[in-house]
């Protein structure tokens, strides 16, 4: 199964490949309730090509967990373009490729389609020994837009007790801490 994958699609594929006598044992578990929740508030300014929160919630199921990993991603990858440029300057293409592959996987698991695509293109270009300097400017722009959208999403307060806002952090940089 290629990553990222949609869980319902994988389950459907498994069921199609499962002999009928076993399929009946598996099907009731598919109807079991899940604790999945939709994102509480999706700011209009967030581009779903940068951060597809509804899709991310299908992966992570709980908004606080999803937000925690988004914040971790932002901390880990905020200076990745500069790191990549330094690796290329040192001709450390193997490490640069590995880092871009890792970023692509992390972005895919957090539902960041544009970042997944550009990081995978750079990783493949590095793997094939191609010139990727033209992609670095795209990576810088896409990463910044994605991190801005993550910060906007994380800055939103968590609603409880019928919609009252418990906490709203308007400092996007602080929300990534």
């Amino acid at each position: 199964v290629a990553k990222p994958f949609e869980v319902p699609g994988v389950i459907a594929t498994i069921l199609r490949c499962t002999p009928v006598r076993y399929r009946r044992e598996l099907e009731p578990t598919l109807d079991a309730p899940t604790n999945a929740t939709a994102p509480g508030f999706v700011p209009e300014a967030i581009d779903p090509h940068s951060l597809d929160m509804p899709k991310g919630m299908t992966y992570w199921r709980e908004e606080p967990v999803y937000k925690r990993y988004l914040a971790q991603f932002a901390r880990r990858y905020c200076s990745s373009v500069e790191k990549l440029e330094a690796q290329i300057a040192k001709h450390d293409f193997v490490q640069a490729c590995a880092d871009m592959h890792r970023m692509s996987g992390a972005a895919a698991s957090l539902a960041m389609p544009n970042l997944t695509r550009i990081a995978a293109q750079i990783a493949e270009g590095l793997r094939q020994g191609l010139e990727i300097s033209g992609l670095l400017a795209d990576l810088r722009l896409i990463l910044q837009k994605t991190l801005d959208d993550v910060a906007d999403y994380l800055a939103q307060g968590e609603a409880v007790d019928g919609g009252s806002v418990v906490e709203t952090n308007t400092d996007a940089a602080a929300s990534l801490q």
Side-chain angles (χ1 to χ4, degrees), residues 104-120:
S104 177
S109 73
L110 292 168
M112 302 170 171
N114 282 347
L115 193 55
T116 301
R117 179 188 49 77
I118 190 71

Side-chain angles (χ1 to χ4, degrees), residues 18-167:
T18 303
V20 175
R21 67 177 179 262
Y22 297 116
R23 198 175 305 162
R24 280 174 281 186
E25 296 171 14
L26 296 174
E27 287 174 345
T29 62
L30 296 177
D31 297 329
T34 65
N35 61 350
T37 60
F41 175 72
V42 179
E44 290 180 19
I46 293 180
D47 179 0
H49 298 291
S50 293
L51 181 62
D52 187 347
M53 291 175 294
K55 183 178 230 177
M57 286 301 300
T58 65
Y59 297 156
W60 292 92
R61 305 240 179 232
E62 296 178 9
E63 191 172 25
V65 175
Y66 183 44
K67 284 184 170 186
R68 183 172 58 240
Y69 283 99
L70 286 170
Q72 180 181 5
F73 179 92
R75 285 189 305 272
R76 180 172 291 157
Y77 292 103
C78 65
S79 61
S80 59
V81 177
E82 293 79 13
K83 182 179 176 186
L84 177 64
E85 290 170 333
Q87 290 167 333
I88 291 171
K90 292 188 292 186
H91 300 287
D92 191 358
F93 301 113
V94 172
Q95 187 61 50
C97 180
D99 287 349
M100 285 295 99
H101 178 78
R102 195 171 6 264
M103 175 192 271
S104 177
S109 73
L110 292 168
M112 302 170 171
N114 282 347
L115 193 55
T116 301
R117 179 188 49 77
I118 190 71
Q121 282 180 325
I122 291 172
E124 186 59 28
L126 288 166
R127 189 176 296 112
Q128 293 181 13
L130 302 175
E131 174 60 41
I132 54 102
S133 60
L135 295 174
L136 293 180
D138 292 341
L139 175 63
R140 187 179 311 278
L141 291 172
I142 291 169
L143 178 62
Q144 187 58 56
K145 170 67 172 130
T146 302
L147 293 178
D148 289 346
D149 284 350
V150 167
D152 288 347
Y153 178 49
L154 295 178
Q156 301 304 312
E158 305 231 346
V160 295
D161 297 330
S164 63
V165 175
V166 172
E167 176 184 341

